[in-house]
Amino acid sequence: MSLANASKEISAHPGKNSVTSPTVKENMAADVDRKMRLYGVIEAFRAGKMPDNQQIDETLRYVEEHSPVEIKKLSPDGRRLIQDAKDIIETARLIVKHKNADELFQNFVAHTNDTNFQKAKVGSEAIPVDKEDVKKDGRQAVEHLRTLLTLVLTNSEARKLLSDASVIGRDLFARGASKAAERARPSPEQLSRVDDAAPAETWESRDGTAGTGQTPVVSATTSGGKGITHDPNTGATHIHTGSSTLSPTEVKHKAEATYQDTKDRTKREADDVARTADARGETDEEKAQAGKQTLKERIVGGYNSLRDRVPDEHKDRARDEWDNTKQFFRDEFPEERRDQYIYRLKKVIVECQKHQDYTTAILWFLDTLETYFAHGKNTAKGSANSAGEVTDDPSLRRATSELRTLLERFANGKSLDGIENAARTLWEDAQRDEDLRNWFRELDEFVRKTLLEPGYVLSPACTNRSDQLQDSGHAFFDQKYKGHKDAIFDEVSAWFSAWADDPLNKRFSADWKRLTKDLLFDEHGGLTFKPHLWYDIRKVILPALIEQVGYIPIPRIEYTDNTLDLVIENLTLQGQNLFPNIVSLEAHNFVQFSPYDSIPDKSAHEFTFTFSQVQADMRDVAFYFNKKTGLPKMKDSGLADVFLGGEGLTVKVHLKSAGNDRSSVFHVKDVNVKLDSLKFSVRDSKHDMLYKTLKPLATGLVKKQIAKAITDAITTGFEYVDEQLVQVRDRMAEAKDSDDKSRSQVLKEMFERKQEEVASKKGKTDSQFKIVAKRDSVLIPNAGHESGLINRQAERASAAQEGEGWRSKAFSIINPAHGTAANTHTDASRV
């Protein structure tokens, strides 16, 4: 027989049969189904599947239109934050819709997985590998990149450099804005005339001023020095250039005649070039090159003509502005500071070089770059080797085309042809110039030595070698191939400018800036604390999020040893019941200090943590046990309801500082655990009568045993934490006094040692405890309930594999019955 339904009550002293959120079986089944769908999504990603655009659009629309927070309860700033989050989601949805049309990104990833990159290896043989090996290499690349990023971003010097760069950047911006404001400020003389009235009843005309009885003639002067007048009486408009006066029609005819004359002259020049080439017997390629050279000369001539037309005072002013800008940065970022920053960056490299993971990752990336560099060189020579096979791979060609199209869409349609052509030109220079090839070879050797040889980056030899490479590189990139080098930087700059000018990119960036501003800054741009937002988080957002946690299905739990087999399934916890309703912290601090050395300083600190009303209302928990030894031997299975209500579980932990005791950081003074109302009911088992008979006697004993077990577990846990903190403190102190190991390396070694200790303990015991996530890895295969969650997990894992190619039905997690309202914010130009 099942337990009676619990009542809902949230108060300081709830009733014995009440919990924060009573279990409703229908709601629990629906929520568990949602969790199983989420599990299917995770399994689909693990299997290499990806959602299509429709599935992404449905999910983002649902998230945008179904806020877990009740908006009416929020403050105006809180509502603004929610709207900012919705704007970000909507912009992300539009980016997927417009930039990833035809599902280019998913196809690119799929075609990349189908490409055999091992054929790019240089050598006499190209050993083919299957798709699984390619995926393994891809995972290895991600792992090495993650290792490098982790080592750099967690390095204290690197984090300090980023922080200092942010401070200097804000200072430069503030100083620049201050100087710009001073230059924009009008002079005192101009300000003194703002209250003066203009001459009465006077109108500005072409020939001076006009009175009330005259019609003024509108006149204006263009930047090119041309005058334009319009007489309202006759309606005539004239354009004055020097000593001549023309009407707009005459100007139009003159422009058309100039255009036609230029067109005819261009055709004649092209015909002359063709006739000259035919007379010389030139090939079609040479003719085209001659035509390009003529066009280039005309473009350069036109540019020089436009430049000569710019007045000298404007040129001088532009040069002065540029010189002032460079001087401003030299003053605010002097050479000493630049040198110090370079030294600190070198220090980051030296510290990372002490990690074996860093060496492995850098070697992998350098070797891979050299592999593809050699592949490109062989392809340029026309070698029919394995590198050419990768270029001919249809999957790679499709993937490259898709990636290129995707990048160009994000750059507002800006083509990558310019960058490709400029890079190809510089590459051809390197193929023809032996000295340039040698310079690149020396650069590769220098980079390898800098990144891999410990301490070399801080030595004077590194600086001298860097200066030598820079000096020798000037001959190529500042003289011989300066135009080709500048072309690459110009094309890259233009392409990224197009990326920044893309309407959707600008909108997405503006959405994040607006969210950051509304969260951290006031209306004047100053960093501020907003107490009403903190109130929204504590009283509205956090409870709503806890409620959305809903029911938490726990995977199958198994335990086996020589005396007992135990299986528990369908264990489902309620988020609102699991979190304590009341959390309290009590602190007592004592500090004694004196300016005299003969009187010692003393301090003592005590903290008491209390977690109250941890409740549970678990229904239909499936169990199986097999008692193998002793009397009586017993085997049974069935369903159970477990209820912990009222004030539920209350845990009070009293900690005290260790003071002068160096063997500890804190002491566990006391742990008190109390259970209020505990009920349980067993059904569908072989021994229902036995359980009903023993239930009144067993309830009190079970409560005491549970309280004792929790008390021992908490005490042991805190003592273990104290022991680990002592070890960490001592090891960190040793590492600080020694240069052999960094503090992060010490922590890593301690973690690895603990893993080895846990593994060794597992090998010495006959017992096994396991939380089973997949049906094929159970410890006790012949036990379990037919409605167990592990069977549903297997169904969702199988469903994740359904779908053609990279598609999967598992990503369709939105129930069509919910529906989604049409969104009106679909203007991609909003910024």
Side-chain angles (χ1 to χ4, degrees):
M1 182 177 179
S2 301
L3 291 175
N5 292 333
S7 60
K8 179 181 179 66
E9 182 179 355
I10 302 176
S11 64
H13 302 285
K16 296 288 186 180
N17 196 45
S18 63
V19 291
T20 303
S21 179
T23 296
V24 180
K25 292 187 177 182
E26 293 78 9
N27 295 345
M28 181 178 68
D31 197 30
V32 170
D33 181 69
R34 285 192 290 270
K35 301 299 192 303
M36 289 294 104
R37 289 179 179 273
L38 179 60
Y39 173 80
V41 170
I42 297 174
E43 287 298 306
F45 276 120
R46 287 178 176 175
K49 302 288 186 175
M50 290 171 286
D52 58 32
N53 281 7
Q54 181 179 354
Q55 292 167 331
I56 296 174
D57 189 84
E58 289 175 352
T59 304
L60 291 179
R61 278 187 179 273
Y62 183 87
V63 172
E64 180 182 358
E65 296 173 2
H66 295 76
S67 172
V69 180
E70 192 170 349
I71 307 297
K72 296 180 180 178
K73 295 183 179 180
L74 296 174
S75 65
D77 282 349
R79 298 177 188 177
R80 194 177 298 113
L81 277 182
I82 296 297
Q83 185 59 47
D84 291 342
K86 289 184 176 182
D87 290 342
I88 291 175
I89 296 172
E90 172 63 12
T91 306
R93 190 185 68 82
L94 291 178
I95 287 176
V96 173
K97 179 179 179 181
H98 294 287
K99 304 299 184 184
N100 194 40
D102 307 326
E103 294 162 341
L104 277 177
F105 178 77
Q106 294 94 322
N107 289 322
F108 161 72
V109 174
H111 292 149
T112 302
N113 290 336
D114 292 335
T115 302
N116 189 348
F117 289 105
Q118 291 292 331
K119 294 180 181 179
K121 290 184 176 180
V122 179
S124 57
E125 296 182 359
I127 302 176
V129 294
D130 56 21
K131 184 176 179 180
E132 193 62 32
D133 290 335
V134 175
K135 290 183 178 179
K136 181 180 178 181
D137 288 343
R139 290 193 295 268
Q140 187 179 9
V142 173
E143 180 182 351
H144 287 313
L145 182 60
R146 186 188 302 116
T147 299
L148 290 177
L149 290 177
T150 301
L151 288 175
V152 173
L153 295 180
T154 57
N155 181 269
S156 58
E157 188 65 54
R159 297 170 70 91
K160 184 65 167 56
L161 276 172
L162 292 175
S163 175
D164 294 344
S166 174
V167 172
I168 293 174
R170 293 200 304 269
D171 180 65
L172 292 178
F173 176 78
R175 291 173 181 268
S178 175
K179 291 186 178 182
E182 289 296 329
R183 294 181 58 183
R185 190 186 308 277
S187 64
E189 183 181 357
Q190 291 173 321
L191 287 173
S192 65
R193 296 200 300 267
V194 296
D195 296 325
D196 297 341
E201 299 179 355
T202 302
W203 287 262
E204 298 293 335
S205 183
R206 177 184 57 187
D207 301 324
T209 58
T212 55
Q214 299 173 307
T215 300
V217 177
V218 179
S219 64
T221 303
T222 66
S223 58
K226 296 180 180 180
I228 302 176
T229 60
H230 175 75
D231 191 340
N233 292 326
T234 63
T237 300
H238 294 90
I239 300 174
H240 310 276
T241 57
S243 59
S244 62
T245 301
L246 303 174
S247 66
T249 303
E250 292 171 336
V251 172
K252 178 182 178 182
H253 292 329
K254 184 177 180 180
E256 290 175 349
T258 302
Y259 167 74
Q260 188 63 38
D261 180 63
T262 303
K263 182 178 178 182
D264 294 340
R265 187 170 66 254
T266 302
K267 187 176 184 305
R268 287 196 302 271
E269 291 176 356
D271 293 340
D272 291 341
V273 171
R275 283 193 295 272
T276 303
D278 290 336
R280 295 177 180 175
E282 296 177 353
T283 63
D284 293 340
E285 184 177 353
E286 291 172 339
K287 293 178 184 179
Q289 188 64 31
K292 291 181 180 178
Q293 187 64 27
T294 304
L295 178 61
K296 180 179 178 180
E297 292 174 353
R298 291 174 54 209
I299 293 175
V300 172
Y303 168 76
N304 292 334
S305 176
L306 290 174
R307 185 182 60 183
D308 294 339
R309 293 174 61 183
V310 177
D312 291 338
E313 60 270 17
H314 291 177
K315 294 180 183 179
D316 296 337
R317 182 178 179 184
R319 281 193 293 268
D320 292 340
E321 291 292 339
W322 175 244
D323 292 339
N324 291 337
T325 301
K326 291 193 294 185
Q327 186 61 40
F328 170 74
F329 280 101
R330 279 196 294 265
D331 294 340
E332 302 299 334
F333 204 76
E335 185 175 357
E336 295 80 8
R337 178 177 286 175
R338 292 197 300 270
D339 292 341
Q340 181 64 18
Y341 258 71
I342 293 173
Y343 172 79
R344 293 168 67 185
L345 285 172
K346 291 180 178 181
K347 183 182 175 185
V348 172
I349 296 177
V350 171
E351 292 180 356
C352 291
Q353 285 173 341
K354 297 179 181 179
H355 286 264
Q356 182 61 36
D357 293 341
Y358 167 86
T359 304
T360 303
I362 285 293
L363 276 175
W364 190 90
F365 279 110
L366 291 176
D367 291 342
T368 303
L369 288 174
E370 283 194 355
T371 295
Y372 285 98
F373 179 82
H375 149 62
K377 183 168 63 176
N378 291 338
T379 303
K381 291 180 179 179
S383 300
N385 58 3
S386 59
E389 297 179 17
V390 176
T391 308
D392 295 334
D393 191 324
S395 296
L396 179 60
R397 288 202 302 270
R398 287 196 300 268
T400 303
S401 175
E402 288 156 356
L403 178 61
R404 181 189 184 115
T405 303
L406 192 65
L407 292 175
E408 290 176 349
R409 286 179 180 176
F410 273 96
N412 203 20
K414 174 73 173 176
S415 175
L416 287 168
D417 288 341
I419 298 177
E420 182 180 349
N421 294 335
R424 184 184 297 112
T425 301
L426 194 61
W427 174 259
E428 292 172 353
D429 294 337
Q431 295 304 303
R432 291 190 298 265
D433 193 330
E434 181 67 24
D435 293 336
L436 183 57
R437 284 204 304 274
N438 292 334
W439 185 87
F440 277 117
R441 190 178 300 112
E442 293 173 357
L443 178 64
D444 174 66
E445 295 173 356
F446 172 73
V447 170
R448 278 181 169 271
K449 193 171 184 179
T450 301
L451 295 178
L452 294 175
E453 185 175 321
Y456 175 74
V457 69
L458 290 178
S459 66
C462 177
T463 304
N464 296 334
R465 184 56 178 158
S466 174
D467 295 339
Q468 292 174 4
L469 287 173
Q470 290 184 37
D471 294 340
S472 58
H474 287 322
F476 300 113
F477 303 115
D478 290 343
Q479 299 175 17
K480 193 172 183 179
Y481 303 114
K482 183 179 186 301
H484 296 169
K485 179 207 70 174
D486 292 343
I488 289 182
F489 286 102
D490 292 342
E491 290 293 340
V492 171
S493 176
W495 191 80
F496 278 104
S497 296
W499 183 294
D501 293 337
D502 184 85
L504 273 177
N505 292 344
K506 293 172 67 176
R507 170 175 170 173
F508 198 55
S509 175
D511 289 342
W512 280 103
K513 290 180 180 177
R514 187 165 56 254
L515 175 66
T516 304
K517 177 180 178 298
D518 293 340
L519 181 64
L520 301 175
F521 300 94
D522 56 21
E523 61 273 12
H524 303 296
L527 188 65
T528 184
F529 173 73
K530 301 182 177 181
H532 44 285
L533 279 182
W534 174 240
Y535 179 86
D536 288 341
I537 293 174
R538 289 189 301 113
K539 296 297 185 180
V540 182
I541 297 178
L542 188 59
L545 293 180
I546 293 176
E547 184 177 358
Q548 288 298 314
V549 172
Y551 298 86
I552 305 173
I554 306 300
R556 171 179 168 128
I557 299 174
E558 295 184 335
Y559 174 81
T560 180
D561 60 18
N562 296 330
T563 62
L564 177 68
D565 290 340
L566 176 65
V567 177
I568 298 177
E569 292 186 282
N570 294 352
L571 183 61
T572 304
L573 303 178
Q574 236 288 15
Q576 288 182 282
N577 294 335
L578 184 62
F579 291 103
N581 289 348
I582 302 174
V583 178
S584 61
L585 170 63
E586 183 179 353
H588 295 278
N589 299 291
F590 167 77
V591 178
Q592 172 184 299
F593 58 90
S594 172
Y596 302 102
D597 295 337
S598 58
I599 303 177
D601 296 339
K602 296 180 181 180
S603 63
H605 310 279
E606 294 187 16
F607 300 93
T608 302
F609 303 90
T610 304
F611 303 93
S612 303
Q613 297 187 20
V614 179
Q615 302 165 331
D617 186 12
M618 297 179 289
R619 307 284 170 156
D620 300 334
V621 179
F623 69 90
Y624 165 87
F625 70 88
N626 179 18
K627 188 174 180 292
K628 306 175 185 178
T629 59
L631 291 175
K633 293 182 180 180
M634 191 174 180
K635 179 191 294 186
D636 201 358
S637 64
L639 299 177
D641 295 340
V642 180
F643 176 82
L644 178 61
E647 296 190 5
L649 174 69
T650 300
V651 178
K652 180 181 289 187
V653 181
H654 189 178
L655 303 179
K656 183 178 180 180
S657 61
N660 296 326
D661 184 4
R662 296 293 298 173
S663 65
S664 183
V665 175
F666 60 83
H667 297 303
V668 181
K669 190 173 182 179
D670 183 42
V671 176
N672 184 23
V673 177
K674 179 182 177 183
L675 278 76
D676 186 13
S677 176
L678 176 65
K679 303 176 184 178
F680 61 89
S681 174
V682 179
R683 64 185 184 279
D684 298 342
S685 67
K686 298 178 182 179
H687 307 286
D688 285 352
M689 184 60 66
L690 176 63
Y691 299 140
K692 291 178 181 177
T693 302
L694 297 178
K695 179 180 176 181
L697 300 174
T699 301
L701 179 62
V702 169
K703 288 175 65 174
K704 291 181 180 179
Q705 292 300 319
I706 292 177
K708 182 178 183 303
I710 295 177
T711 300
D712 293 342
I714 293 176
T715 303
T716 303
F718 273 105
E719 289 175 349
Y720 175 80
V721 170
D722 176 62
E723 178 185 350
Q724 299 306 307
L725 289 177
V726 171
Q727 293 184 18
V728 170
R729 181 193 63 193
D730 296 341
R731 294 292 182 87
M732 296 286 275
E734 293 175 3
K736 186 177 181 181
D737 298 335
S738 173
D739 296 332
D740 295 337
K741 294 181 180 180
S742 64
R743 283 175 284 184
S744 58
Q745 189 174 0
V746 169
L747 291 177
K748 181 181 177 182
E749 290 178 354
M750 290 186 61
F751 178 74
E752 293 175 348
R753 190 180 302 111
K754 291 302 175 184
Q755 287 183 319
E756 294 174 357
E757 291 177 1
V758 172
S760 63
K761 289 180 180 179
K762 285 184 178 180
K764 296 178 181 178
T765 180
D766 294 329
S767 65
Q768 287 182 282
F769 175 84
K770 189 174 184 180
I771 297 178
V772 184
K774 294 186 178 181
R775 188 167 52 185
D776 56 358
S777 61
V778 296
L779 296 176
I780 311 172
N782 298 324
H785 200 273
E786 59 182 8
S787 64
L789 294 178
I790 195 168
N791 296 322
R792 299 179 62 182
Q793 286 178 271
E795 294 174 359
R796 298 310 304 174
S798 300
Q801 301 289 342
E802 298 179 6
E804 182 180 356
W806 52 263
R807 293 174 173 82
S808 174
K809 296 180 181 179
F811 294 106
S812 299
I813 58 177
I814 304 302
N815 190 342
H818 289 138
T820 51
N823 199 306
T824 57
H825 302 289
T826 56
D827 182 10
S829 63
R830 178 179 65 81
V831 295

